[in-house]
Amino acid sequence: MAGLKPRADLAKIGGMDLSYPIGKFDFRQTVDAASIPALIADIEALPARLREATSGLTDARLDTPYRPGGWTVRQTVHHVADSHINSAIRLRLALTETEPVIRPYEQQLWAELFDARTAPIEPSLQLLEGLHARWVMLLKSMSAADFARTFRHPEIGLVRLDLNTALYAWHGKHHTAHITGLRVREGWGTAVRA
């Protein structure tokens, strides 16, 4: 899939934006403290939701792009694991340092690495289960002052931990929707809850 760019008319089917099936994330939003428990619940639920979304998919289906020019289901699952590892580390840096400058990574290039294109998804699903168990434990222990702590992203600027929590609650649902939407469009049936 390297180098393929989706045509604008192929990125939408029936008016649905296949790139952003739940909408784009708003980096300018202010996160209300009352919404934090729900955001943490979304992060906690992601491993089970992703496992459910991919249940029963054959290798051929795992190697199907979720949209024209997009990643395969396999690459998407591995991307979620890669991205969430990075976010969990950024959280720890922000909690233990003053405005640390984080290092971005080339997610498109990571998705083209051999393991992201070919490895079974089970290791990434297991990684997400363990990672999210620890991540959620830490998030639930945080105070309002902790959520106000920041890290500096070289491309985005200063990011508060409450906003980053909202981002990753959205991120998990965003990529799960890529997979569940593909299942519906391809007539693969809905995943059966384990």
Side-chain angles (χ1 to χ4, degrees):
M1 301 277 99
L4 292 179
K5 300 278 188 210
R7 290 186 9 217
D9 60 330
L10 293 179
K12 293 188 180 204
I13 292 181
M16 174 191 264
D17 184 344
L18 300 181
S19 296
Y20 296 96
I22 65 168
K24 290 184 178 183
F25 184 76
D26 179 7
F27 282 95
R28 295 171 307 203
Q29 69 180 286
T30 299
V31 178
D32 179 12
S35 69
I36 295 288
L39 297 172
I40 294 171
D42 284 338
I43 290 171
E44 186 170 26
L46 180 270
R49 287 182 181 154
L50 194 58
R51 184 176 288 283
E52 180 182 338
T54 58
S55 70
L57 294 181
T58 63
D59 277 335
R61 290 178 176 178
L62 288 172
D63 291 329
T64 303
Y66 69 82
R67 66 171 169 79
W71 290 331
T72 65
V73 172
R74 184 184 312 277
Q75 287 172 299
T76 301
V77 171
H78 294 313
H79 160 72
V80 171
D82 291 341
S83 180
H84 290 211
I85 288 168
N86 275 284
S87 183
I89 290 170
R90 291 168 180 176
L91 172 72
R92 290 177 174 284
L93 289 170
L95 288 173
T96 59
E97 300 175 19
T98 302
E99 286 186 17
V101 177
I102 60 94
R103 187 170 189 275
Y105 69 102
E106 298 292 337
Q107 65 180 13
Q108 190 63 40
L109 297 177
W110 284 35
E112 294 300 329
L113 292 172
F114 179 78
D115 62 329
R117 289 182 294 103
T118 64
I121 62 171
E122 185 61 26
S124 284
L125 293 173
Q126 289 177 8
L127 188 153
L128 285 164
E129 289 165 353
L131 176 68
H132 278 240
R134 294 250 340 254
W135 192 1
V136 166
M137 185 183 306
L138 184 55
L139 287 168
K140 287 181 176 179
S141 77
M142 290 169 53
S143 67
D146 291 332
F147 279 105
R149 292 184 66 94
T150 58
F151 61 80
R152 185 167 299 280
H153 191 294
E155 297 160 357
I156 298 170
L158 210 55
V159 178
R160 285 174 51 112
L161 291 183
D162 55 3
L163 183 66
N164 199 61
T165 302
L167 172 62
Y168 277 85
W170 170 87
H171 188 258
K173 292 189 286 188
H174 165 71
H175 284 302
T176 301
H178 284 146
I179 297 166
T180 57
L182 175 65
R183 287 186 83 122
V184 169
R185 289 190 309 278
E186 293 295 323
W188 295 343
T190 57
V192 178
R193 191 173 288 274

